[in-house]
Every structure is written in C-alpha cells, then in structure tokens.
C-alpha cells in the first residue's frame, strides 16, 4: 500500500501549511502587541519617578533660598534702623550742643554787659572809663592824678592842640586831654580803645600807659612830661 492510502494518517496540503503559518504569525503579532502597552506603562512609571523627586528637591531648595533671603532682609532692616537711630542721636546731640553754646554765649555777653558800666560823655565819664580799662590792663593811676594833669595840660578840652612848642616846630604837635604827641600815642596805645589822639578815653589811657612806663604812674607827674 502507498503512504497516501494508509489509514490514520492525514496529509497536509500546501494550502493547509500556509494557513497554519499565517495563524502563527498573527498570534505572535497579537502577543507582541499585547506586551507593548505593559512595557510602555512600566517605562513611563519608572521614568516618572525621577521627575517627581526632582520637583521635591527643587521645592526644598527654593524654600531654603526664600528663607535665606528673608533672614537677609531682616538683618538689612535692622541695620538700617540702627543707622537711622544713630544719625538721629548724633543730630540731636549736635543741636543740643549748638543750643548750649548759644546759651553760654548769651550768658557771657549778658555778664559782660552787666560788668561794663555806662559812662557819661564828659570829663568825669572819660576819666572813669579810662580807669576801668586801665584796671583790666594793669596800668596804675588814680582819678585825682589823672584829673590834675588833664586840667594842667588841656583844661579838659579833648580837642586841645599845642602849635607853638618844640614838638609843634618838629611837626608832631601835642594833642588831646593829656597833650600826647603822635609817636608816643602810637607806641603806648592800648588795644580796645580808638586809634585817635583826640579820642578822650584813648588819649588818657595811652598817656597813663606812657607815664607808668617812665614815671611809675600818672600820679607822679606834676609838670610837662
């Protein structure tokens, strides 16, 4: 008997083989397709984890930076407040010092005014004012000694001038209450009085300063000097 006629055996035709191959191919493709979504989901899950961790780290860093900036701002604000307080205190101290100095100057001026009497504009007042200045400058002399010499030299006329003695002939006439020549007045003039030979107070003080230097005091002068 031939193989084709043997009972129990079936013969696969070419068409049958092609059908089986097609089914196998389709099954493999289906299996591959069914596996792809699972692998992709798993990959997505795996790749998503680092992203979430990065976000957490970035959030913590941002929070730390914000806290650091907040601390810096507090420190800066405190420094600005301290600087302002220091400047205000310095300005206040300066204003108080200026006010104190002003008060002291006014008080000193008031004391000086109180200590400086007002003198009459006459022979009596001129002599008394001259004595007031002479006392401060340490120049000796008395009211009586000054008055005696004034009356002899000029009779109390502050504009008196000698145009006939040797001094006048030399071009330096004696002038004023105590008849002082210009070189003597210039040499013995006392600072604080007018630089004028005819000024009664300046004339008396300069003459008394000269007399103190040469005679010890105007009180010791009893004639032309």
């Amino acid at each position: 008997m031939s193989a084709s006629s043997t009972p129990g055996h079936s013969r696969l035709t070419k068409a049958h083989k092609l059908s089986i191959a097609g089914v196998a191919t389709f099954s493999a493709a289906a299996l591959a397709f069914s596996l792809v979504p699972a692998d992709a989901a798993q990959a997505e899950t795996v790749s998503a984890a680092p992203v979430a961790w990065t976000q957490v780290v970035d959030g913590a860093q941002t929070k730390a930076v914000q806290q650091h900036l907040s601390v810096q701002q507090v420190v800066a604000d405190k420094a600005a407040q301290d600087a302002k307080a220091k400047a205000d205190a310095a300005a206040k101290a300066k204003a108080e010092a200026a006010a104190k100095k002003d008060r002291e100057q006014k008080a000193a001026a008031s004391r000086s005014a109180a200590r400086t009497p007002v003198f009459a504009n006459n022979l009596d007042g001129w002599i008394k004012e001259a004595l007031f200045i002479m006392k401060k400058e340490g120049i000796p002399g008395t009211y009586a000694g000054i008055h005696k010499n004034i009356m002899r030299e000029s009779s109390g006329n502050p504009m008196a001038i000698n145009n006939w003695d040797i001094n006048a002939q030399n071009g330096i006439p004696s002038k004023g209450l105590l008849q002082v020549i210009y070189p003597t007045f210039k040499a013995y003039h006392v600072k604080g009085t007018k630089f004028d030979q005819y000024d009664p107070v300046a004339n008396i003080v300069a003459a008394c300063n000269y007399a103190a230097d040469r005679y010890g005091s105007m009180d010791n002068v009893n004639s032309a000097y």
Side-chain angles (χ1 to χ4, degrees):
M1 295 176 65
S2 64
S4 60
S5 62
T6 303
H9 290 275
S10 60
R11 178 176 294 179
L12 297 176
T13 65
K14 185 177 181 180
H16 291 159
K17 291 179 179 179
L18 290 173
S19 297
I20 292 171
V23 169
T25 300
F26 179 78
S27 299
L31 178 60
F33 178 79
S34 63
L35 291 175
V36 168
D39 293 342
Q42 184 177 4
E44 182 178 358
T45 302
V46 171
S47 62
V51 173
W53 171 252
T54 301
Q55 292 174 346
V56 171
V57 172
D58 289 345
Q61 290 177 343
T62 300
K63 185 176 181 181
V65 170
Q66 291 175 343
Q67 290 177 343
H68 180 66
L69 292 176
S70 297
V71 171
Q72 286 185 332
Q73 186 62 47
V74 170
V75 172
D77 290 343
K78 181 65 168 58
Q81 291 174 357
D82 292 344
K84 185 177 184 303
K86 186 176 180 180
D88 291 344
K92 183 179 180 181
K94 185 176 180 180
E96 290 177 348
K100 181 180 179 181
K101 184 177 180 180
D102 184 61
R103 290 193 300 270
E104 290 175 347
Q105 289 177 340
K106 289 181 178 179
S110 179
R111 289 193 298 269
S112 177
R115 289 194 301 267
T116 305
V118 177
F119 302 98
N121 187 27
N122 54 35
L123 182 58
D124 179 68
W126 301 331
I127 296 175
K128 288 179 179 178
E129 185 173 355
L131 287 168
F132 179 81
I133 296 170
M134 290 165 58
K135 183 178 181 180
K136 291 194 300 183
E137 298 295 330
I139 300 171
T142 64
Y143 185 100
I146 294 172
H147 187 272
K148 175 188 67 176
N149 282 284
I150 286 176
M151 297 311 293
R152 186 188 68 250
E153 295 292 335
S154 66
S155 299
N157 178 12
M159 302 303 295
I161 182 171
N162 186 325
N163 290 316
W164 58 85
D165 65 5
I166 186 62
N167 291 321
Q169 293 175 20
N170 292 331
I172 49 172
S174 302
K175 298 179 180 180
L177 289 176
L178 285 169
Q179 293 293 283
V180 183
I181 61 174
Y182 180 75
T184 300
F185 178 81
K186 182 179 178 181
Y188 289 94
H189 171 261
V190 174
K191 186 178 181 180
T193 62
K194 293 181 180 179
F195 195 85
D196 179 1
Q197 280 178 266
Y198 286 113
D199 180 79
V201 175
N203 187 283
I204 294 172
V205 174
C208 288
N209 194 24
Y210 163 73
D213 185 42
R214 185 166 183 180
Y215 304 104
S217 171
M218 181 62 74
D219 294 351
N220 300 328
V221 178
N222 297 303
S223 61
Y225 59 106

